[in-house]
Amino acid sequence: MAEIHLKSLAHSYSDKPTSPSDYAIREMDHVWHQGGAYALLGPSGCGKSTLLNIISGLLAPSEGEVLFDNVRVNELSPKDRNIAQVFQFPVIYDSMTVFDNLAFPLRNAKVPEPKVRAKVNEVAEILELHPVLHNKAKNLTADEKQKVSMGRGLVRDDVSAILFDEPLTVIDPHLKWKLRRKLKQIHEQFNITMVYVTHDQLEASTFADKIAVMYGGQIVQFGTPRELFESPNHTFVGFFIGSPGMNLIEVRRCEGGVSFDGFKVPLSDELNEHLALVPSDNLKIGIRPEFVHIWDGPTDDAFEAQVQHTEDLGTYKIVTFELGGQTLKARMDEDREVPNGRAYVSFPQQWLKLYIDEFLFEEQAR
């Protein structure tokens, strides 16, 4: 097991990068602590797989260092880093049995055969592969093949970390939950540092203790699923996490708060004091649909909005409404009656977030 430190790390596929847009990975400092279960979450093209390949040694970074337990490994080959990597598509030997696939890394390292048998049987038990242990790998289902691929990383005692690059892409949807739970059990049993790359927030949340959200080659927030939901540190995190994502509205300064389309949104005294010191006019407010309050009638703090449509999702409803020129969403309990035509909505101050230059303003102010 290892602590993985990405120190002043950056990478460009260009020979002579001249601007931030030339970098697939923008300069970052990040630590994956020993024994943690982490997810690297973001959309296609944000740099997730590039970062994973740098950690494993398949790709050399343009700048910075990769440290395992404070030891620089930039010059080490993938086989010398003791990293196991599970790819999007299973990498196994079809002509071998499941047993021989699992045994291959150990035999290659000259491990005595009795220990090979013991270790293979231990991993096969964990991954529920005993029924197919002596079958040819080419006859396995897609999920069985992926479990064999995972097992080849788990079978080694010297593994510093296991990196998963969207490993459930080829798995049937009804089996994904079972395999995610199996990975979680494996982590709890072996205490191996695991980094799981995905674009699926549900996969990330059910596997990881902490999630690193990537956007534009940067890790814009690193936190627990709850922290990412309740206090997104970047507008992209607010938009990407949640279903539907956070309501985001461009605003302008006004006395006592901010405004949009003729509507004034008051801010706390503390936020107003900090806002007065900031020159940027790239301002947004954000609030989760779950925290928008819909009243039964007019109140002093509520705005009158026009209801556009409602989606009934069984246990709750999503109400889409128009406020000024903004189309926003609110979540309502199933037993609440949906307003007809007009609605009175408010944004509770404890859940209202202010963003400046796309980052959470409260975080900048501290």
Side-chain angles (χ1 to χ4, degrees):
M1 286 76 79
E3 176 186 272
I4 301 170
H5 184 185
L6 310 177
K7 186 177 181 181
S8 301
L9 190 81
H11 185 72
S12 174
Y13 291 102
S14 170
D15 292 335
K16 296 180 180 179
T18 57
S19 67
S21 62
D22 292 331
Y23 283 86
I25 302 293
R26 302 189 188 189
E27 185 172 334
M28 67 169 66
D29 229 280
H30 188 74
V31 177
W32 309 104
H33 292 289
Q34 187 274 320
Y38 302 108
L40 190 57
L41 175 67
S44 297
C46 71
K48 306 186 301 296
S49 294
T50 296
L51 194 59
L52 213 64
N53 290 336
I54 287 172
I55 295 171
S56 66
L58 295 174
L59 187 65
S62 304
E63 303 167 20
E65 296 180 302
V66 180
L67 307 175
F68 288 2
D69 290 334
N70 293 318
V71 177
R72 177 185 164 104
V73 298
N74 287 46
E75 290 75 28
L76 292 184
S77 67
K79 69 181 181 67
D80 294 326
R81 296 191 187 194
N82 295 325
I83 289 286
Q85 190 161 355
V86 179
F87 295 93
Q88 183 174 352
F89 300 99
V91 180
I92 60 176
Y93 299 106
D94 278 345
S95 60
M96 292 184 180
T97 65
V98 172
F99 184 99
D100 289 336
N101 265 280
L102 295 175
F104 185 83
L106 300 177
R107 289 170 173 165
N108 201 42
K110 310 300 184 194
V111 173
E113 197 62 23
K115 186 174 181 180
V116 170
R117 288 195 298 271
K119 197 68 183 177
V120 167
N121 278 296
E122 179 188 357
V123 170
E125 181 71 27
I126 292 165
L127 291 171
E128 300 174 358
L129 287 171
H130 263 131
V132 296
L133 197 55
H134 299 291
N135 292 3
K136 292 285 188 182
K138 66 181 179 181
N139 298 321
L140 301 179
T141 62
D143 62 299
E144 288 170 338
K145 287 183 178 182
Q146 195 61 295
K147 286 200 286 186
V148 173
S149 189
M150 294 173 187
R152 286 174 53 175
L154 294 169
V155 78
R156 294 164 47 196
D157 289 328
D158 63 344
V159 169
S160 299
I162 301 181
L163 312 179
F164 298 95
D165 193 355
E166 305 208 37
L168 303 184
T169 299
V170 298
I171 306 303
D172 288 340
H174 71 282
L175 292 171
K176 285 187 177 184
W177 182 88
K178 186 176 181 181
L179 278 180
R180 282 199 303 269
R181 183 65 203 135
K182 181 60 65 178
L183 284 176
K184 193 70 174 175
Q185 290 172 348
I186 289 167
H187 175 260
E188 291 167 357
Q189 181 170 347
F190 287 87
N191 194 34
I192 299 173
T193 307
M194 291 184 174
V195 181
Y196 187 106
V197 166
T198 181
H199 62 272
D200 186 320
Q201 60 176 293
L202 179 62
E203 283 189 14
S205 299
T206 52
F207 170 76
D209 300 321
K210 296 188 79 173
I211 300 170
V213 181
M214 284 199 74
Y215 175 66
Q218 295 177 296
I219 293 177
V220 291
Q221 188 167 2
F222 183 53
T224 65
R226 181 171 182 173
E227 288 167 345
L228 299 182
F229 183 81
E230 293 188 353
S231 294
N233 190 46
H234 189 277
T235 54
F236 175 77
V237 180
F239 163 78
F240 196 68
I241 301 292
S243 181
M246 175 178 268
N247 296 303
L248 292 163
I249 308 169
E250 292 186 14
V251 294
R252 290 188 284 182
R253 306 162 192 267
C254 68
E255 187 175 349
V258 292
S259 66
F260 67 95
D261 300 335
F263 295 96
K264 178 181 175 181
V265 181
L267 299 176
S268 68
D269 291 341
E270 182 182 4
L271 275 181
N272 278 311
E273 288 174 10
H274 288 304
L275 188 56
L277 303 175
V278 175
S280 177
D281 289 324
N282 179 7
L283 306 175
K284 291 183 176 73
I285 56 172
I287 189 166
R288 294 275 183 202
E290 288 80 357
F291 304 139
V292 174
H293 192 95
I294 297 182
W295 299 87
D296 293 330
T299 68
D300 291 340
D301 297 329
F303 304 112
E304 183 178 323
Q306 299 301 311
V307 176
Q308 293 183 332
H309 58 85
T310 302
E311 301 166 77
D312 191 334
L313 299 176
T315 55
Y316 61 92
K317 301 169 185 173
I318 298 297
V319 179
T320 301
F321 61 93
E322 187 174 320
L323 186 61
Q326 309 293 325
T327 299
L328 308 173
K329 295 182 183 294
R331 176 167 166 162
M332 293 182 67
D333 292 337
E334 173 61 21
D335 57 0
R336 285 280 308 276
E337 185 176 347
V338 178
N340 184 22
R342 70 179 66 181
Y344 297 92
V345 301
S346 65
F347 306 144
Q349 202 164 87
Q350 69 267 35
W351 297 115
L352 188 68
K353 305 298 179 182
L354 177 64
Y355 294 89
I356 178 165
D357 295 331
E358 311 307 327
F359 282 90
L360 185 63
F361 189 70
E362 292 173 326
E363 291 295 322
Q364 289 190 335
R366 287 183 187 136

